[in-house]
């Protein structure tokens, strides 16, 4: 029987942080007509949904899905990311904010920043709820950050372990014996 993951970031802490991030983003984009929020599937769907509903700047929601090669730890595939599903609309000349649940090694975001920059957005920024600096392999600039966390296995609020726990309302640490 798996134990409930130990809370690392509580529901209340998340709620406050999302409100704070939304206020900052609203202020920074006060002069733009429209902001394109690009959620990175699947993990970001809960954060994106809460963040977007807090924003007052007019926004459009897009999703993109990427996958790391199954065996990313191997030398050959280190850092390899591939596109599974693209955004639906052109982002040229648009203000784009990529919304992630977590920046871990940084490879996913490094890939997305290259991919989306090549399409000529008016601006491209990143908002991530979580960052694990101890795991950095590719340096990426984070414009809006929720929480810096240690190198532990986190689940909940969109994040999974083998597709479980995504709907847990808080960020929890999964014990080694439950993996
Ligand atoms: C997670 C997370 C990020 C990525 C970060 O996605 O949602 O997209 O990993 O890792 P990185 O910084 O090491 O590249 P995952 O591949 O687990 O897919 P999922 O969101 O569909 O669960």
């Amino acid at each position: 029987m798996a134990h409930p993951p130990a809370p690392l970031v509580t529901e209340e802490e998340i709620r406050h942080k999302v409100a704070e991030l939304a206020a900052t983003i609203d202020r920074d984009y006060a002069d733009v007509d429209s902001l394109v929020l690009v959620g990175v599937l699947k993990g970001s769907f809960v954060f994106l949904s809460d963040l977007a509903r807090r924003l007052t700047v007019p926004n459009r929601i897009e999703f993109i899905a990427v996958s790391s090669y199954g065996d990313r730890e191997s030398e050959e595939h280190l850092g390899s990311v591939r596109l599974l599903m693209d955004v639906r609309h052109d982002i040229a000349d648009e203000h784009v904010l990529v919304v992630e649940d977590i920046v871990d090694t940084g490879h996913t975001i490094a890939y997305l920043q290259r991919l989306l920059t090549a399409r000529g957005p008016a601006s491209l920024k990143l908002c991530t709820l979580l960052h694990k600096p101890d795991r950095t392999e590719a340096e990426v600039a984070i414009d809006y950050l929720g929480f810096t966390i240690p190198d532990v296995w986190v689940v909940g609020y969109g994040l999974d372990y083998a597709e479980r726990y995504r709907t847990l309302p808080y960020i929890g640490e999964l014990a080694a014996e439950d993996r």
Side-chain angles (χ1 to χ4, degrees), residues 41-43 72 100-108 160 166:
L41 292 175
K42 296 178 189 174
R72 194 163 75 179
E100 259 291 22
D101 50 325
I102 186 165
V103 173
D104 190 332
T105 63
H107 290 301
T108 301
D160 74 313
R166 288 198 198 274

Side-chain angles (χ1 to χ4, degrees), residues 26 29-30 32-37 55-60:
D26 270 340
Y29 290 92
V32 315
D33 296 334
S34 165
L35 176 63
V36 181
L37 301 170
L55 292 175
T56 57
V57 57
N59 60 74
R60 200 177 90 202

Side-chain angles (χ1 to χ4, degrees), residues 18 25 28 30 59 64 75 83 97 113 121 146 149-150 153 174 178:
V18 170
I25 294 166
D28 290 356
N59 60 74
I64 199 162
E75 286 275 301
L83 186 63
L97 180 62
Q113 284 179 338
I149 58 165
W153 194 293
L174 196 63
D178 293 327

